[in-house]
Amino acid sequence: MVIIDHTTGYVVGTVGGLGEKTTSFGLNRATQSPRQTGSSIKPLFVAAGVQQGTVTAGTVYDDVRTTFGSNYSPKNYNYYRGLIPVRYAIESSQDVPMVKLLKDITPEYGIEFLQKMGVSTVTIENDANLSSALGGLYKGISTLEMAGAFATIANDGKYIEPTFYTKVVDSNGDIVLEVEQKEEEVMSAAAAYVVKEILTQPVKSGTATYCGISGISVAAKTGTTNDDYDRWLCGFTPYYTAACWFGYDENEGVRYSGNPAGAIWDAVMTSAHTGKESKYFANTRPNGVTSASICKCSGKLATEECANDPRGTQVYGEYFVVGTVPSQKCDCHVKARICNKTGMLATEFCTDVTEKVYITRKDFDKTTSWKNAQDAEFMLTVKDTCNVHTEEQDKVGPVITLKGPSSITLEVGGKYTESGATATDNKDGDLTSKIEVTGKVDVDKAGTYKIEYTVQDAAGNKTTVSRTVTVKEKAVSKPTISLIGGEVVELEVNETFTDPGATATDSKDGDLTDKIEITGLDQVDTTKPGAEYTITYTVKNSSGETAMVSRRVKIKTIANET
């Protein structure tokens, strides 16, 4: 591990290995062991691109499976995220966008830029290739030189050669050796500031969240090589720059839960900043830096559609070197109306439509690589316009005509026969066979039932009419008895009584006269003056309903003789 005061280039701390020191001139891995850098090199090429003016923090690359040349096909360690700006590609350490970035700035420019930042172990001959974007170098880079390169960004773009001493004096105090540190303005302060802000993203919500220091800005980038041979954490604060490598002299996989280099970096830097005043990169933001609201998917100026992306707003604020702010509005997000009947782009005549915001890719139909990206489900892949709804839709519904009355009344136990209906449409003609009948009549149970007749025409117009069927309880009918003669008969004493009888009828059973039962007739005794008797006439119909009437018979009293 190496810690540098990037404002002076002074190395304020270094550790060349673990374990007990057994020799004064043993191997110092921090200064003498170039190692493959993995993803920790990515910010250095980003810095090159920002300085060159080819790349901004908001430049968007399509993170999809890509083959460069004839056979170089880098793969992400996690997944393909699709359209992603440089800031967020650094946040989650996506590989493909960084290879595309190096291709844009050219590997030759990238390697020359590293050399300006003090990296001595890379050459155009050996390292000017796209794999360098992911740390695939011929020799690698030492921890000291990685710290020096990151210190260049931290020091507002000025490289100061790291040194472990300032001078050597003899016993008389005379200077016998004095360091001459190389210095070079590698990038503008504005470009360096933009890269600083990019490197805060892994600490905020990316691969280096554990490196945060309360009250102090932290920029950091992790790195891992194939088979976990090398683990890195390089980063800086307004106070110090530090690079930490963890691994073995001979390649061997590092088995550790998390990033051991990151854990060491965090512990050391947290301790080194104890008691320091709060300080943020924004406190020293230079002239020449501006900001703008842009779209994460296009890198261009944000629009209303960017804010209404179905994943949530894709609008964010980004820093730019003055003169590099995008001038065009986002053309990636589009609002589209899809006809739900055909799945095509809706016309003005489509009525069943879903409208939402989609993302687009140029020439998406000429490649399939984007289909494996996380954002594939939000793509607008429809190009053709609905060929069904090409004119104003028929809005006149079919006409249903009931056969028979629209209201029917039955008695419980009666019979219901479905009469049906006919249907016609102004364009489709006879639709009787298309009628759907729903509902059921239970003639054994009193109640009101609804039978519905529904039909839909080709334009989707639907008509429903109904028939009401009322089932009533059966009406209760009783027989009727009519007395022959009056209801009261008066007789003289000893007068013979002859019953005049009665007649009986029923609405269902007809004449029931012969079914009449007479009681009380045998009780009439005309020999008893003043007596009264009741004769009862009863009849029952087939339903068990009974009718009853009565006649009174009075015997006159005998007048007293004088």
Side-chain angles (χ1 to χ4, degrees):
M1 182 175 187
V2 173
I3 305 174
I4 297 175
D5 179 346
H6 44 256
T7 63
T8 62
Y10 295 168
V11 176
V12 297
T14 183
V15 174
L18 298 177
E20 182 179 355
K21 183 177 180 180
T22 58
T23 177
S24 297
F25 297 99
L27 176 66
N28 186 332
R29 295 165 184 83
T31 61
Q32 297 174 292
S33 297
R35 301 293 302 195
Q36 298 299 312
T37 63
S39 293
S40 62
I41 201 173
K42 292 175 180 176
L44 305 183
F45 289 125
V46 170
V50 174
Q51 175 61 22
Q52 188 185 52
T54 305
V55 173
T56 72
T59 297
V60 168
Y61 290 102
D62 204 357
D63 182 23
V64 298
R65 185 179 290 111
T66 305
T67 297
F68 299 87
S70 60
N71 58 7
Y72 181 47
S73 301
K75 296 180 180 179
N76 291 333
Y77 78 97
N78 46 17
Y79 42 77
Y80 295 101
R81 292 186 58 179
L83 298 170
I84 187 171
V86 168
R87 171 182 290 271
Y88 293 97
I90 288 294
E91 175 189 66
S92 56
S93 199
Q94 302 305 114
D95 287 346
V96 174
M98 292 299 103
V99 178
K100 291 183 175 181
L101 181 149
L102 185 57
K103 181 180 178 182
D104 283 348
I105 68 173
T106 74
E108 291 77 12
Y109 179 85
I111 295 303
E112 288 175 354
F113 193 83
L114 294 186
Q115 291 171 340
K116 291 179 181 180
M117 299 175 96
V119 179
S120 63
T121 49
V122 296
T123 65
I124 296 294
E125 293 75 20
N126 293 328
D127 299 299
N129 53 70
L130 294 181
S131 62
S132 293
L134 309 181
L137 304 171
Y138 183 69
K139 288 185 177 180
I141 304 175
S142 71
T143 308
L144 174 63
E145 292 191 349
M146 283 295 285
F150 271 77
T152 303
I153 301 169
N155 194 36
D156 299 329
K158 182 179 182 180
Y159 169 73
I160 302 177
E161 184 180 5
T163 182
F164 290 81
Y165 67 96
T166 58
K167 61 183 177 180
V168 177
V169 298
D170 60 19
S171 58
N172 296 319
D174 297 325
I175 298 175
V176 296
L177 183 62
E178 189 169 14
V179 68
E180 294 183 5
Q181 292 173 270
K182 175 186 174 183
E183 297 185 7
E184 182 175 356
E185 296 288 345
V186 178
M187 57 194 307
S188 70
Y193 183 82
V194 169
V195 180
K196 288 181 189 179
E197 288 292 348
I198 293 173
L199 284 172
T200 63
Q201 203 63 42
V203 181
K204 292 175 181 176
S205 55
T207 57
T209 54
Y210 47 81
C211 290
I213 300 174
S214 179
I216 294 176
S217 290
V218 177
K221 183 66 190 78
T222 55
T224 303
T225 60
N226 291 345
D227 300 315
D228 291 326
Y229 288 159
D230 306 274
R231 306 300 300 273
W232 286 86
L233 196 294
C234 301
F236 51 84
T237 71
Y239 290 99
Y240 300 115
T241 297
C244 183
W245 168 83
F246 192 100
Y248 298 94
D249 292 332
E250 300 295 332
N251 283 337
E252 182 178 338
V254 174
R255 302 292 174 252
Y256 187 89
S257 178
N259 183 350
I264 294 170
W265 193 99
D266 175 53
V268 172
M269 290 291 274
T270 298
S271 176
H273 287 78
T274 301
K276 298 282 188 189
E277 292 184 2
S278 292
K279 190 178 288 189
Y280 301 95
F281 298 143
N283 298 147
T284 56
R285 173 176 160 178
N287 294 329
V289 174
T290 187
S291 61
S293 292
I294 66 169
C295 172
K296 288 182 181 179
C297 301
S298 67
K300 299 179 181 180
L301 297 176
T303 66
E304 182 180 353
E305 282 72 23
C306 306
N308 292 322
D309 188 294
R311 295 166 288 182
T313 181
Q314 298 299 298
V315 180
Y316 80 103
E318 188 55 273
Y319 293 97
F320 294 90
V321 175
V322 170
T324 64
V325 176
S327 58
Q328 296 180 331
K329 291 184 178 180
C330 173
D331 54 3
C332 174
H333 281 102
V334 295
K335 183 183 291 184
R337 298 170 67 249
I338 304 298
C339 175
N340 293 329
K341 295 292 181 64
T342 63
M344 299 179 177
L345 295 174
T347 69
E348 59 181 307
F349 304 115
C350 299
T351 57
D352 185 6
V353 171
T354 296
E355 182 179 79
K356 68 177 183 179
V357 172
Y358 298 85
I359 60 172
T360 58
R361 284 178 168 88
K362 186 178 180 181
D363 299 329
F364 73 90
D365 53 345
K366 296 180 180 180
T367 178
T368 60
S369 59
W370 59 269
K371 292 184 178 182
N372 293 320
Q374 279 191 323
D375 62 1
E377 63 179 296
F378 306 104
M379 274 284 293
L380 178 64
T381 58
V382 180
K383 299 179 71 174
D384 297 327
T385 301
C386 177
N387 55 12
V388 173
H389 307 116
T390 57
E391 60 182 4
E392 186 172 3
Q393 188 171 346
D394 173 22
K395 297 181 180 179
V396 179
V399 175
I400 296 178
T401 303
L402 294 177
K403 292 181 180 180
S406 61
S407 180
I408 298 175
T409 301
L410 304 172
E411 286 189 344
V412 172
K415 182 179 180 181
Y416 173 70
T417 301
E418 173 57 48
S419 302
T422 61
T424 59
D425 183 70
N426 63 326
K427 289 195 173 184
D428 298 340
D430 185 12
L431 294 178
T432 301
S433 63
K434 304 292 186 180
I435 295 176
E436 294 182 0
V437 183
T438 58
K440 183 179 180 182
V441 177
D442 186 352
V443 295
D444 295 323
K445 184 178 180 181
T448 300
Y449 302 91
K450 182 178 287 187
I451 306 298
E452 290 191 334
Y453 306 81
T454 302
V455 70
Q456 181 173 300
D457 63 19
N461 300 307
K462 185 182 293 186
T463 300
T464 298
V465 298
S466 61
R467 191 195 310 273
T468 301
V469 179
T470 303
V471 179
K472 294 184 175 181
E473 297 286 357
K474 287 184 178 179
V476 178
S477 62
K478 291 186 177 183
T480 301
I481 300 177
S482 300
L483 293 175
I484 299 174
E487 293 182 1
V488 179
V489 177
E490 290 188 340
L491 299 174
E492 297 292 338
V493 176
N494 294 322
E495 182 181 350
T496 301
F497 173 64
T498 301
D499 180 29
T503 61
T505 59
D506 183 75
S507 60
K508 182 178 180 181
D509 298 339
D511 186 10
L512 295 177
T513 301
D514 61 344
K515 302 292 185 179
I516 295 174
E517 296 181 359
I518 305 173
T519 58
L521 182 60
D522 58 349
Q523 301 296 320
V524 178
D525 185 353
T526 60
T527 64
K528 295 181 178 180
E532 289 189 12
Y533 303 95
T534 300
I535 301 173
T536 302
Y537 305 83
T538 304
V539 71
K540 181 184 293 186
N541 65 15
S542 60
S543 299
E545 299 296 327
T546 301
M548 180 185 295
V549 297
S550 60
R551 191 197 309 272
R552 291 166 59 204
V553 179
K554 295 182 179 181
I555 309 301
K556 296 180 179 180
T557 59
I558 300 175
N560 293 329
E561 296 183 2
T562 58

